[in-house]
mmCIF file of all heavy atoms in Angstrom:
data_model
loop_
_atom_site.group_PDB
_atom_site.id
_atom_site.type_symbol
_atom_site.label_atom_id
_atom_site.label_comp_id
_atom_site.label_asym_id
_atom_site.label_seq_id
_atom_site.Cartn_x
_atom_site.Cartn_y
_atom_site.Cartn_z
ATOM 1 N N LEU U 144 -172.291 147.552 -48.775
ATOM 2 C CA LEU U 144 -173.230 147.066 -47.779
ATOM 3 C C LEU U 144 -172.902 147.695 -46.426
ATOM 4 O O LEU U 144 -171.767 147.626 -45.957
ATOM 5 C CB LEU U 144 -173.125 145.540 -47.685
ATOM 6 C CG LEU U 144 -174.205 144.862 -46.850
ATOM 7 C CD1 LEU U 144 -175.575 145.002 -47.508
ATOM 8 C CD2 LEU U 144 -173.869 143.388 -46.650
ATOM 9 N N ILE U 145 -173.887 148.350 -45.823
ATOM 10 C CA ILE U 145 -173.708 148.901 -44.471
ATOM 11 C C ILE U 145 -174.498 148.006 -43.527
ATOM 12 O O ILE U 145 -175.729 148.116 -43.446
ATOM 13 C CB ILE U 145 -174.249 150.360 -44.367
ATOM 14 C CG1 ILE U 145 -173.737 151.247 -45.506
ATOM 15 C CG2 ILE U 145 -173.939 150.949 -42.993
ATOM 16 C CD1 ILE U 145 -172.345 151.775 -45.344
ATOM 17 N N PRO U 146 -173.830 147.097 -42.812
ATOM 18 C CA PRO U 146 -174.574 146.149 -41.975
ATOM 19 C C PRO U 146 -175.209 146.872 -40.783
ATOM 20 O O PRO U 146 -174.708 147.904 -40.342
ATOM 21 C CB PRO U 146 -173.496 145.172 -41.481
ATOM 22 C CG PRO U 146 -172.247 145.518 -42.207
ATOM 23 C CD PRO U 146 -172.386 146.920 -42.697
ATOM 24 N N PRO U 147 -176.310 146.340 -40.258
ATOM 25 C CA PRO U 147 -176.978 147.031 -39.147
ATOM 26 C C PRO U 147 -176.152 147.034 -37.858
ATOM 27 O O PRO U 147 -176.322 147.922 -37.035
ATOM 28 C CB PRO U 147 -178.285 146.260 -38.972
ATOM 29 C CG PRO U 147 -178.114 144.960 -39.687
ATOM 30 C CD PRO U 147 -177.074 145.182 -40.743
ATOM 31 N N PHE U 148 -175.291 146.035 -37.669
ATOM 32 C CA PHE U 148 -174.486 146.027 -36.430
ATOM 33 C C PHE U 148 -173.157 145.310 -36.571
ATOM 34 O O PHE U 148 -172.205 145.625 -35.874
ATOM 35 C CB PHE U 148 -175.300 145.445 -35.255
ATOM 36 C CG PHE U 148 -175.914 144.094 -35.544
ATOM 37 C CD1 PHE U 148 -175.189 142.926 -35.351
ATOM 38 C CD2 PHE U 148 -177.226 143.995 -36.001
ATOM 39 C CE1 PHE U 148 -175.763 141.689 -35.608
ATOM 40 C CE2 PHE U 148 -177.807 142.751 -36.268
ATOM 41 C CZ PHE U 148 -177.078 141.600 -36.072
ATOM 42 N N ASP U 149 -173.042 144.384 -37.500
ATOM 43 C CA ASP U 149 -171.874 143.507 -37.539
ATOM 44 C C ASP U 149 -170.709 144.122 -38.310
ATOM 45 O O ASP U 149 -170.236 143.561 -39.298
ATOM 46 C CB ASP U 149 -172.282 142.159 -38.157
ATOM 47 C CG ASP U 149 -171.181 141.110 -37.958
ATOM 48 O OD1 ASP U 149 -170.405 141.257 -36.991
ATOM 49 O OD2 ASP U 149 -171.117 140.173 -38.777
ATOM 50 N N ALA U 150 -170.234 145.283 -37.866
ATOM 51 C CA ALA U 150 -169.120 145.957 -38.537
ATOM 52 C C ALA U 150 -168.496 146.955 -37.571
ATOM 53 O O ALA U 150 -169.208 147.739 -36.937
ATOM 54 C CB ALA U 150 -169.626 146.698 -39.767
ATOM 55 N N PRO U 151 -167.168 146.935 -37.468
ATOM 56 C CA PRO U 151 -166.497 147.855 -36.534
ATOM 57 C C PRO U 151 -166.848 149.326 -36.783
ATOM 58 O O PRO U 151 -167.010 150.083 -35.827
ATOM 59 C CB PRO U 151 -165.008 147.579 -36.795
ATOM 60 C CG PRO U 151 -164.979 146.155 -37.248
ATOM 61 C CD PRO U 151 -166.229 145.972 -38.071
ATOM 62 N N ALA U 152 -166.998 149.746 -38.047
ATOM 63 C CA ALA U 152 -167.297 151.164 -38.316
ATOM 64 C C ALA U 152 -168.678 151.548 -37.802
ATOM 65 O O ALA U 152 -168.900 152.686 -37.370
ATOM 66 C CB ALA U 152 -167.200 151.457 -39.815
ATOM 67 N N VAL U 153 -169.607 150.595 -37.851
ATOM 68 C CA VAL U 153 -170.956 150.851 -37.335
ATOM 69 C C VAL U 153 -170.915 150.925 -35.804
ATOM 70 O O VAL U 153 -171.464 151.843 -35.189
ATOM 71 C CB VAL U 153 -171.945 149.758 -37.821
ATOM 72 C CG1 VAL U 153 -173.303 149.915 -37.132
ATOM 73 C CG2 VAL U 153 -172.097 149.822 -39.341
ATOM 74 N N ILE U 154 -170.245 149.977 -35.190
ATOM 75 C CA ILE U 154 -170.126 149.976 -33.723
ATOM 76 C C ILE U 154 -169.419 151.245 -33.237
ATOM 77 O O ILE U 154 -169.821 151.850 -32.244
ATOM 78 C CB ILE U 154 -169.374 148.708 -33.249
ATOM 79 C CG1 ILE U 154 -170.214 147.454 -33.563
ATOM 80 C CG2 ILE U 154 -169.043 148.781 -31.759
ATOM 81 C CD1 ILE U 154 -169.502 146.134 -33.300
ATOM 82 N N ALA U 155 -168.397 151.670 -33.959
ATOM 83 C CA ALA U 155 -167.673 152.893 -33.562
ATOM 84 C C ALA U 155 -168.598 154.108 -33.606
ATOM 85 O O ALA U 155 -168.513 155.007 -32.774
ATOM 86 C CB ALA U 155 -166.468 153.111 -34.468
ATOM 87 N N GLY U 156 -169.500 154.143 -34.600
ATOM 88 C CA GLY U 156 -170.473 155.238 -34.652
ATOM 89 C C GLY U 156 -171.410 155.213 -33.460
ATOM 90 O O GLY U 156 -171.642 156.239 -32.811
ATOM 91 N N GLN U 157 -171.941 154.032 -33.133
ATOM 92 C CA GLN U 157 -172.846 153.921 -31.972
ATOM 93 C C GLN U 157 -172.092 154.239 -30.679
ATOM 94 O O GLN U 157 -172.694 154.702 -29.697
ATOM 95 C CB GLN U 157 -173.466 152.515 -31.849
ATOM 96 C CG GLN U 157 -173.827 151.773 -33.118
ATOM 97 C CD GLN U 157 -174.761 152.459 -34.091
ATOM 98 O OE1 GLN U 157 -174.835 153.692 -34.124
ATOM 99 N NE2 GLN U 157 -175.440 151.682 -34.915
ATOM 100 N N ALA U 158 -170.781 154.017 -30.683
ATOM 101 C CA ALA U 158 -169.982 154.259 -29.473
ATOM 102 C C ALA U 158 -169.994 155.729 -29.064
ATOM 103 O O ALA U 158 -169.720 156.061 -27.912
ATOM 104 C CB ALA U 158 -168.545 153.787 -29.689
ATOM 105 N N THR U 159 -170.328 156.621 -30.000
ATOM 106 C CA THR U 159 -170.371 158.039 -29.628
ATOM 107 C C THR U 159 -171.478 158.298 -28.597
ATOM 108 O O THR U 159 -171.403 159.259 -27.837
ATOM 109 C CB THR U 159 -170.566 158.944 -30.870
ATOM 110 O OG1 THR U 159 -171.779 158.597 -31.538
ATOM 111 C CG2 THR U 159 -169.399 158.788 -31.838
ATOM 112 N N VAL U 160 -172.487 157.423 -28.553
ATOM 113 C CA VAL U 160 -173.499 157.514 -27.484
ATOM 114 C C VAL U 160 -172.815 157.329 -26.128
ATOM 115 O O VAL U 160 -173.064 158.083 -25.174
ATOM 116 C CB VAL U 160 -174.607 156.441 -27.659
ATOM 117 C CG1 VAL U 160 -175.590 156.484 -26.487
ATOM 118 C CG2 VAL U 160 -175.335 156.607 -28.977
#
Side-chain angles (χ1 to χ4, degrees):
Chain U
L144 190 67
I145 311 280
F148 53 86
D149 192 26
V153 172
I154 294 173
Q157 324 304 26
T159 59
V160 176

